[in-house]
Amino acid sequence: DGGITQSPKYLFRKEGQNVTLSCEQNLNHDAMYWYRQDPGQGLRLIYYSQIVNDFQKGDIAEGYSVSREKKESFPLTVTSAQKNPTAFYLCASKKAGAGSNQPQHFGDGTRLSIL
Amino acid sequence: AQKVTQAQTEISVVEKEDVTLDCVYETRDTTYYLFWYKQPPSGELVFLIRRNSFDEQNEISGRYSWNFQKSTSSFNFTITASQVVDSAVYFCALPPMNRDDKIIFGKGTRLHILP
């Protein structure tokens, strides 16, 4: 079955450390997204990519970086510059150019905590 | 401005009661779509329904129904005869008509169904 796989499910970061969250999709979707969710909060967009080798900052990109070298993969790195990284991170994808009636499909999320 | 408001932060009802989740939106577009997502405790967002602005007919899917009213810019979601498995956070969302714009999520309503 097609879907989005995020790994790991739980991740712990030490002070000053960079960590990378994986997101892989086999839906053949062009567009991919990273969101951050804090307790009791909605979703905030970190980065998104409409096509391979191109990505744009979302609303809260500071302290994060991404790459899009393959259509299937959109890893997110939480750098040491992100001072409050503890949150639930969700990856999503959708068909690009298919109009706004196409919903985003989401992975199961990665819960990141500070040690 | 593009905006989605879910004024109900948290709702608790006893199992088998009916419950309505409110969603009010603002959009500059004359044609648009609206989505509802469910986020169970496992974390993944599950797409529930898509509605376009051309069609104001109510939609029913089993115990779920949606009331779209353009005149009041609302897209409310009703669960009839609620069950414990309906406990989740529910998000209303306004996807962009322009492919370069971002989907706008409401902050979500956390629904507790008490046994």
Side-chain angles (χ1 to χ4, degrees):
Chain A
D1 283 342
I4 299 176
T5 302
Q6 288 188 243
S7 62
K9 195 168 179 69
Y10 299 95
L11 186 58
F12 298 92
R13 195 192 89 169
K14 294 180 182 177
E15 293 287 343
Q17 188 182 45
N18 293 353
V19 291
T20 297
L21 284 61
S22 170
C23 178
E24 304 276 331
Q25 54 98 359
N26 60 2
L27 299 166
N28 199 32
H29 286 170
D30 296 292
M32 297 187 74
Y33 307 80
W34 274 106
Y35 292 92
R36 170 179 171 141
Q37 187 178 25
D38 293 283
Q41 300 292 315
L43 302 176
R44 291 188 290 169
L45 183 63
I46 305 172
Y47 268 99
Y48 62 106
S49 167
Q50 302 275 18
I51 196 168
V52 173
N53 292 323
D54 189 37
F55 48 83
Q56 288 78 38
K57 292 182 179 180
D59 300 316
I60 55 165
E62 187 174 347
Y64 300 97
S65 66
V66 293
S67 63
R68 187 85 188 277
E69 297 175 3
K70 297 187 300 181
K71 187 176 185 178
E72 304 79 20
S73 179
F74 191 40
L76 173 74
T77 296
V78 184
T79 74
S80 56
Q82 173 49 247
K83 297 306 179 190
N84 184 23
T86 298
F88 187 57
Y89 291 86
L90 282 160
C91 178
S93 72
K94 78 182 271 285
K95 284 184 181 180
S100 66
N101 61 342
Q102 295 300 317
Q104 292 180 11
H105 297 256
F106 285 81
D108 289 341
T110 293
R111 197 166 298 278
L112 175 62
S113 302
I114 286 278
L115 280 178
Chain B
Q2 307 287 97
K3 189 177 178 182
V4 174
T5 301
Q6 295 180 257
Q8 303 151 309
T9 306
E10 204 159 342
I11 301 175
S12 294
V13 300
V14 176
E15 197 173 18
K16 298 183 184 172
E17 287 184 356
D18 298 347
V19 58
T20 295
L21 309 183
D22 297 333
C23 172
V24 173
Y25 62 91
E26 293 176 35
T27 179
R28 59 177 175 265
D29 298 313
T30 52
T31 59
Y32 50 90
Y33 289 88
L34 291 158
F35 298 155
W36 274 95
Y37 283 91
K38 174 183 180 179
Q39 185 180 36
S42 57
E44 177 186 0
L45 263 75
V46 177
F47 173 69
L48 294 179
I49 191 172
R50 162 180 57 225
R51 166 65 72 205
N52 72 57
S53 56
F54 295 103
D55 186 358
E56 287 196 64
Q57 281 194 344
N58 289 342
E59 177 136 358
I60 298 174
S61 176
R63 296 183 296 105
Y64 294 173
S65 63
W66 289 268
N67 183 343
F68 176 42
Q69 293 205 337
K70 229 170 162 176
S71 59
T72 56
S73 296
S74 66
F75 185 40
N76 296 338
F77 173 30
T78 297
I79 301 175
T80 303
S82 59
Q83 299 176 2
V84 172
V85 293
D86 296 326
S87 296
V89 181
Y90 291 86
F91 291 95
C92 182
L94 178 66
M97 295 304 289
N98 181 326
R99 60 160 274 171
D100 293 326
D101 285 339
K102 298 161 284 191
I103 185 171
I104 306 297
F105 284 94
K107 289 192 183 299
T109 297
R110 183 175 296 275
L111 178 62
H112 300 278
I113 308 297
L114 308 172

